[in-house]
Amino acid sequence: MALNAYLNKKVSVLTLDGRTMVGTLFSCDGSMNLVLADAYERIIRPADEGVPSEEVPLGLYIVRGDSVAVCGRVDEDVDGKIDWTKVHGEVLGSTRHV
């Protein structure tokens, strides 16, 4: 499986319902089920809401394969320089299989 190269690396996972989870890929299988260690959800909010974006800790987290839209490796140097509380954007819509 192609994701085996990402084991023990920091990844970002976008789900079909528009959520973003980040964590260390601990395990994966052929059905795209993922286990993330030290995971957190990144919640990016629009600037006009007046509420800062946030990262919510999840700990050890399982993402079911049928809800994964995208999984990619995170550049930790770039990611570490971003203050995610100051990042704003529109909410991602949900995606569905056609």
Side-chain angles (χ1 to χ4, degrees), residues 18-87:
R19 295 174 65 197
T20 302
M21 268 76 72
V22 178
T24 303
L25 184 61
F26 184 75
S27 180
C28 59
D29 65 14
S31 297
M32 196 64 126
N33 295 309
L34 308 175
V35 179
L36 302 177
D38 303 317
Y40 49 90
E41 181 175 1
R42 249 184 210 147
I43 302 172
I44 306 299
R45 296 192 172 91
D48 61 357
E49 279 189 12
V51 179
S53 298
E54 64 180 316
E55 294 179 328
V56 178
L58 302 170
L60 189 65
Y61 197 77
I62 298 172
V63 184
R64 288 183 43 124
D66 61 355
S67 69
V68 174
V70 178
C71 179
R73 185 144 178 224
V74 172
D75 183 328
E76 295 187 58
D77 291 334
V78 173
D79 191 65
K81 295 175 184 173
I82 299 170
D83 180 355
W84 289 98
T85 63
K86 295 184 176 159
V87 174

